[in-house]
Amino acid sequence: DTGVSQDPRHKITKRGQNVTFRCDPISEHNRLYWYRQTLGQGPEFLTYFQNEAQLEKSRLLSDRFSAERPKGSFSTLEIQRTEQGDSAMYLCASSVGLDFDEQFFGPGTRLTVL
Amino acid sequence: AQTVTQSQPEMSVQEAETVTLSCTYDTSENNYYLFWYKQPPSRQMILVIRQEAYKQQNATENRFSVNFQKAAKSFSLKISDSQLGDTAMYFCAFQVYKLSFGAGTTVTVRA
């Protein structure tokens, strides 16, 4: 399968714990995006990378959130000191590299914070 | 900032019939793309159809077509000959580089 993959697919954690999600984009896609989707809502933009450079962070991304794409391939999204309000589906998407290129989505990581 | 509004939380349609989903958006950008994405239950988001803002001709993909009214900032999706597999959440989205999504419309196709 050459699509976008995300790991884990589901994560249940207790409030206050740290969690890390991984996204593997389509090979040779230079852009990688993270979105968050709460139940019954549309996804909201969190951040994106052009190769290894993080170009924008949404104000939704508090200082408890950090994202990396160290070698311009896979990306990680870490949430420190999780809160119940962090419960959501975290979606990753990748595109070739231009602003209007189609974004291909992964299956998402569903986070539940107890 | 861009906002996308989908005013229909839920729509139900009989198999083989036609349903139209509405979407309006607000932006000061002149160059952008518009999309409709489909998200089946517990499955990932897939692109249904895209429309370049500079093109006046409405996009069509098989049974899916759009009515793009740039001046009115309106972008509706028509699903013709609805099939059971069309049952999903449909999101309207606006792209300059990142995507801005509407809240979605749940479409249920009845047998």
Side-chain angles (χ1 to χ4, degrees), chain A residues 68-83:
Chain A
E68 294 183 342
R69 195 182 183 198
K71 297 182 180 178
S73 56
F74 73 92
S75 176
T76 58
L77 178 68
E78 180 184 15
I79 310 174
Q80 297 182 328
R81 305 181 304 280
T82 53
E83 302 173 355

Side-chain angles (χ1 to χ4, degrees), chain B residues 52-94:
Chain B
E52 296 89 335
Y54 62 86
K55 288 188 177 179
Q56 291 187 341
Q57 185 173 4
N58 289 323
T60 299
E61 287 287 342
N62 300 314
R63 298 182 294 107
F64 299 88
S65 61
V66 298
N67 183 3
F68 174 47
Q69 302 290 328
K70 189 172 183 179
K73 295 181 180 173
S74 170
F75 183 61
S76 62
L77 173 70
K78 184 170 76 173
I79 307 174
S80 303
D81 186 24
S82 297
Q83 300 176 359
L84 296 178
D86 294 333
T87 292
M89 188 85 144
Y90 286 79
F91 292 99
C92 177
F94 175 104

Side-chain angles (χ1 to χ4, degrees), chain A residues 31 33 35 37 40-43 45 48 56 99-103 105-107, chain B residues 31-33 37 39 44-45 47 50 89 91 95-99 101-103:
Chain A
R31 288 242 181 134
Y33 298 81
Y35 296 87
Q37 184 178 19
Q41 298 298 315
F45 169 79
Y48 85 106
E56 183 175 334
D99 284 349
F100 298 118
D101 286 334
E102 179 183 348
Q103 295 182 27
F105 282 83
Chain B
N31 193 21
Y32 52 88
Y33 278 39
Y37 281 90
Q39 189 175 42
Q44 63 197 76
M45 192 92 68
L47 178 65
R50 64 187 285 169
M89 188 85 144
F91 292 99
Q95 181 179 13
V96 285
Y97 55 96
K98 61 187 175 184
L99 287 162
F101 289 86

Side-chain angles (χ1 to χ4, degrees), chain A residues 36-105:
Chain A
R36 181 170 68 187
Q37 184 178 19
T38 53
L39 199 61
Q41 298 298 315
E44 295 174 293
F45 169 79
L46 293 179
T47 188
Y48 85 106
F49 295 83
Q50 179 80 32
N51 300 310
E52 66 274 12
Q54 187 174 20
L55 298 187
E56 183 175 334
K57 293 171 60 173
S58 163
R59 64 181 183 281
L60 294 175
L61 218 61
S62 75
D63 56 6
R64 296 184 298 104
F65 289 71
S66 62
E68 294 183 342
R69 195 182 183 198
K71 297 182 180 178
S73 56
F74 73 92
S75 176
T76 58
L77 178 68
E78 180 184 15
I79 310 174
Q80 297 182 328
R81 305 181 304 280
T82 53
E83 302 173 355
Q84 288 186 326
D86 297 332
S87 294
M89 177 77 86
Y90 290 83
L91 298 170
C92 176
S94 70
S95 68
V96 173
L98 300 178
D99 284 349
F100 298 118
D101 286 334
E102 179 183 348
Q103 295 182 27
F104 293 85
F105 282 83

Side-chain angles (χ1 to χ4, degrees), chain B residues 6-71:
Chain B
Q6 294 179 249
S7 59
Q8 304 152 312
E10 297 181 8
M11 298 282 283
S12 180
V13 60
Q14 194 72 31
E15 195 175 11
E17 307 231 320
T18 296
V19 63
T20 300
L21 311 183
S22 64
C23 172
T24 58
Y25 60 94
D26 189 24
T27 184
S28 57
E29 300 282 346
N30 193 47
N31 193 21
Y32 52 88
Y33 278 39
L34 293 163
F35 299 84
W36 281 95
Y37 281 90
K38 170 184 177 180
Q39 189 175 42
S42 302
R43 294 180 61 187
Q44 63 197 76
M45 192 92 68
I46 57 174
L47 178 65
V48 173
I49 197 166
R50 64 187 285 169
Q51 173 79 43
E52 296 89 335
Y54 62 86
K55 288 188 177 179
Q56 291 187 341
Q57 185 173 4
N58 289 323
T60 299
E61 287 287 342
N62 300 314
R63 298 182 294 107
F64 299 88
S65 61
V66 298
N67 183 3
F68 174 47
Q69 302 290 328
K70 189 172 183 179

